[in-house]
């Protein structure tokens, strides 16, 4: 009995001192990328303030992808391509670089080429990106 008690205590002490690697978050994550649902005008917006980020918490597509704690650890970027006369248009992140003083996001727009098949319905492409840093963000397109 005594040996079992000593073994249990040792196991508890070892477990309490163990380091758990929770993994590191990637620099950025595309939370959603849609062909419908964006705004009518083309714009890129960086959300850094609590009240701006709280707006995203209420979005049906994002509610399970954003945590309230992200307000303190991340910034968000809305990439909106604006109204397009057909389908087949996308806006995406091409590259994200972390520099000592800022994060630089390069945006890539894709459009159907001449003669390519595309739906003949208006589209409003957009993407929302979480940047797991509070450094200032610069967007290049």
């Amino acid at each position: 009995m005594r040996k079992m008690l000593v073994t249990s205590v040792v196991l508890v002490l070892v477990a309490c001192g163990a380091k758990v690697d929770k993994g590191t978050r990637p620099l950025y994550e595309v939370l959603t990328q849609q062909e419908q649902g964006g705004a009518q005008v083309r714009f890129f917006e960086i959300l850094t303030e609590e009240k701006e980020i709280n707006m995203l918490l209420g979005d049906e597509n994002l509610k399970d992808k954003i945590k309230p704690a992200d307000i303190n650890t991340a910034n968000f970027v809305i990439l909106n391509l604006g109204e397009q006369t057909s389908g087949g248009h996308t806006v995406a992140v091409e590259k994200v670089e972390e520099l000592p003083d800022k994060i630089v996001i390069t945006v890539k727009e894709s459009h159907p080429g001449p003669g390519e098949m595309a739906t003949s319905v208006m589209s409003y492409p957009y993407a929302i990106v979480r940047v797991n840093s509070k450094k200032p963000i610069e967007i290049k397109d």
Side-chain angles (χ1 to χ4, degrees):
M1 177 73 169
R2 185 169 189 205
K3 184 177 179 181
M4 197 157 106
L5 180 62
V6 170
T7 303
S8 297
V9 170
V10 169
L11 287 175
V12 169
L13 292 174
V14 169
C16 289
K19 293 182 181 178
V20 178
D21 182 13
K22 295 181 183 177
T24 58
R25 292 176 90 174
L27 179 57
Y28 76 98
E29 299 167 69
V30 177
L31 300 179
T32 189
Q33 187 173 358
Q34 305 285 328
E35 195 169 310
Q36 296 294 340
Q40 288 186 320
V41 296
R42 181 184 182 276
F43 68 88
F44 304 146
E45 185 174 0
I46 301 163
L47 307 179
T48 60
E49 301 295 321
E50 183 176 352
K51 66 181 179 179
E52 296 170 325
I53 296 169
N54 277 333
M55 290 186 324
L56 297 177
L57 290 170
D59 185 288
E60 268 309 301
N61 293 324
L62 301 174
K63 69 179 182 181
D64 295 330
K65 299 176 183 180
I66 299 174
K67 307 287 185 256
D70 288 340
I71 291 168
N72 301 317
T73 61
N75 288 321
F76 294 83
V77 178
I78 299 173
L79 306 172
N80 196 71
L81 200 51
E83 184 177 81
Q84 303 297 312
T85 58
S86 69
H89 302 269
T90 61
V91 61
V93 172
E94 182 172 32
K95 178 173 65 170
V96 177
E97 297 173 279
E98 183 171 20
L99 303 176
D101 60 334
K102 64 184 172 183
I103 305 290
V104 178
I105 298 175
T106 304
V107 175
K108 180 181 180 181
E109 296 180 16
S110 297
H111 304 278
E116 277 188 47
M117 296 291 290
T119 58
S120 58
V121 64
M122 302 295 272
S123 63
Y124 303 87
Y126 76 101
I128 298 179
V129 179
R130 174 181 34 230
V131 178
N132 294 311
S133 171
K134 290 303 266 183
K135 288 183 181 179
I137 297 173
E138 177 184 315
I139 299 175
K140 294 168 55 175
D141 60 334

